[in-house]
Every structure is written in C-alpha cells, then in structure tokens.
Amino acid sequence: MYKKLEMFYEGKAKRVYKTVVDQEYIVSYKDDATAFNGEKRGTILNKGEVNNQMSAMIFKLLQELGVENHFIALINEREMLVKAVEIIPLEVIVRNITAGAMAKRLGLEEGIRMKFPVLEFSYKNDQLSDPFINDDYAVALNIASQWEIQCIRNMALKTNEILREFFIEKNILLVDFKLEFGRYENRIILADEISPDTCRLWDATNNEKLDKDRFRRDLGKVEEAYQEVLNRLKA
Ligand code: UDP
C-alpha cells in the first residue's frame, strides 16, 4: 500500500524516502546511534523500532490535542508515513530540569527543577556542531521569520505541557527534549521524531536514566532502557 521510491536523504538515525505522492515521505528509523556530534558511534538493537513506535504514539496524541505535526500513519514497526515539510534548521530545546550541555555550561548539577520551562535554540549545522543561538539571530539571519519563531515557541511550550503530563502518568520525568519544525503549506508544523534519542527521560521514582544518556555515558542497559520506555507508554 505504501510504496517506497528512491531514498533522498540519509541522516544519522533515519532514512527518508519519496513516495508516489509528492507531499508524502516515508521515514525509516535506524538502529545506528551517534553522540557528541558523530564522534561516538554504535548500534542500539531495536532502537529504530522503539523510536518509530514511540514517535508515532506521541505525534498522534499531540495531533489530537491540537499540535499539528507531520505524522500521517504508522506503516510497520520501523517506518512511518509523514507529510513532506521543509525543515527549519533550528534545534528547539525545551528544558524542565537541569541536565546535559546546559548543566555543564552553567556549572550546575543535573536534576534541579527550574521555575518554568526554558526554551533554547541551536542552529542545526553538523559542521559547526549545532551552535547555540537565540531568536534574534534566527530572525536577523533569515533562518526563520518572527512569525515562525512565535509559532515555534507556542507549539514547543504546548508540546512540553502535554508530554510532561503524559510521561508522569507513566512514572517518567520529562527532563528536556529537542524538537524540529517544518514549513508545510503556509503553516509551521512539528516534524522529526520524539524518542529516547531526543528526550531526557528519568524514572520518577529513582531518577534512573531511560534515554540516550545511557549510550552517551556508557551506563549499560541501553537497549533495555529504550524498551522499558516503550513498554510503559504502551501499558
Ligand atoms: N538533543 C538532540 N539532538 C541534539 C542535541 C540535543 O536530540 O543534537 C536533545 C538531547 O537528547 C536532550 C536535549 O536535546 O534531550 C538537550 O540536549 P543538550 O543541549 O543538553 O545537549 P547534550 O548534552 O545532549 O549534548
């Protein structure tokens, strides 16, 4: 039913294929894992299946609650059908709790709950290692318009509210996450993926990490953590 035509893009974690419909792509999720801007490489068994299924579940939920996104349908365990968007080269990060690059940059310990969610932008450019920028740079350098930034801000914060509640019901803390947005017709819609590759997810009881930090930091039980998240979401 869903016919894959030629692959036209291969990223670090996904392949994107054209379909017989111009406005629709097929995304195929890989098991390949990279960290530190591609310096660390490996494989996480079944990661592609977990990330595809988790993203599908979350995109569906967001769609129902009014956050328009690129998801159309789940095709199989590793593949989904999506709307073809023009990706805006911004990594939009939402943080609820200090962790990762932010904690390091500011000399803070991980795990401090912030007074309100903090939004952060990076310019999506591997050669430059996704440098930190702010919304003024994005507008001044024509990466996105003022109106697009406002849409992105509103959608990112709404996504955070929805996902925080969704995860806490599964006894998972949503520490931080990265979103990407795209242009579709004359609108801005959410795209890319939402998975343990792109979110920091901690067990709410013991703060155990259930995300890509297990791979980045060689904490072991990487596959198990990804599977555990999917199992909890499905339960
Ligand atoms: N993140 C991502 N892709 C990136 C950079 C970050 O998905 O290229 C996610 C990361 O998994 C985390 C959040 O964005 O959930 C914040 O990451 P941070 O800025 O702390 O960078 P990191 O410590 O991951 O390098």
Side-chain angles (χ1 to χ4, degrees), residues 178-228:
K178 185 262 304 180
L179 300 174
E180 292 182 26
F181 292 84
R183 300 184 177 104
Y184 182 75
E185 294 172 346
N186 55 1
R187 307 190 294 283
I188 296 298
I189 70 173
L190 180 60
D192 194 49
E193 66 176 286
I194 299 179
S195 72
D197 271 10
T198 62
C199 303
R200 284 200 169 88
L201 303 169
W202 295 356
D203 180 281
T205 305
N206 59 18
N207 281 359
E208 190 189 355
K209 297 185 197 316
L210 299 172
D211 56 58
K212 195 167 152 188
D213 274 346
R214 300 205 73 85
F215 170 77
R216 291 189 189 99
R217 302 178 189 187
D218 294 319
L219 300 176
K221 298 211 164 139
V222 186
E223 282 88 3
E224 289 86 341
Y226 277 67
Q227 201 57 58
E228 171 68 19

Side-chain angles (χ1 to χ4, degrees), residues 13-206:
K14 300 186 282 295
R15 296 189 182 93
V16 185
Y17 297 85
K18 292 189 176 175
T19 67
V20 289
V21 181
D22 274 351
Q23 302 81 6
E24 296 180 359
Y25 293 157
I26 288 173
V27 178
S28 181
Y29 286 72
K30 307 195 283 188
D31 284 350
D32 299 355
T34 61
F36 312 119
N37 205 34
E39 267 173 50
K40 182 179 168 82
R41 284 165 192 278
T43 303
I44 301 173
L45 195 68
N46 293 331
K47 173 169 86 75
E49 297 188 359
V50 170
N51 289 5
N52 179 46
Q53 290 173 55
M54 173 167 160
S55 292
M57 198 182 288
I58 289 177
F59 281 140
K60 250 189 258 180
L61 173 75
L62 290 172
Q63 207 91 261
E64 284 163 16
L65 297 175
V67 181
E68 193 180 0
N69 59 71
H70 72 161
F71 178 76
I72 302 173
L74 194 63
I75 298 175
N76 57 42
E77 287 185 326
R78 263 179 202 276
E79 295 176 327
M80 60 167 66
L81 187 72
V82 302
K83 292 174 183 156
V85 302
E86 179 201 342
I87 289 284
I88 296 172
L90 282 177
E91 301 211 330
V92 180
I93 293 168
V94 183
R95 301 181 185 275
N96 297 305
I97 297 173
T98 59
M102 176 237 180
K104 203 168 167 191
R105 193 163 54 232
L106 299 179
L108 297 170
E109 54 184 271
E110 296 196 310
I112 303 167
R113 277 165 211 252
M114 294 190 285
K115 276 211 275 201
F116 51 83
V118 173
L119 209 74
E120 191 181 296
F121 298 99
S122 293
Y123 176 44
K124 196 170 142 68
N125 182 314
D126 278 344
Q127 278 176 333
L128 301 174
S129 308
D130 303 335
F132 193 84
I133 61 169
N134 66 17
D135 43 356
D136 256 8
Y137 278 114
V139 176
L141 298 173
N142 282 324
I143 296 168
S145 72
Q146 192 73 61
W147 173 80
E148 287 173 336
I149 293 288
Q150 197 54 52
C151 291
I152 287 172
R153 184 178 288 282
N154 293 340
M155 291 173 80
L157 291 174
K158 184 165 178 187
T159 298
N160 183 48
E161 292 313 310
I162 294 168
L163 293 189
R164 245 185 354 180
E165 196 181 318
F166 175 68
F167 281 115
I168 205 63
E169 282 169 12
K170 316 289 181 184
N171 204 40
I172 292 173
L173 285 175
L174 178 60
V175 173
D176 59 31
F177 58 100
K178 185 262 304 180
L179 300 174
E180 292 182 26
F181 292 84
R183 300 184 177 104
Y184 182 75
E185 294 172 346
N186 55 1
R187 307 190 294 283
I188 296 298
I189 70 173
L190 180 60
D192 194 49
E193 66 176 286
I194 299 179
S195 72
D197 271 10
T198 62
C199 303
R200 284 200 169 88
L201 303 169
W202 295 356
D203 180 281
T205 305
N206 59 18

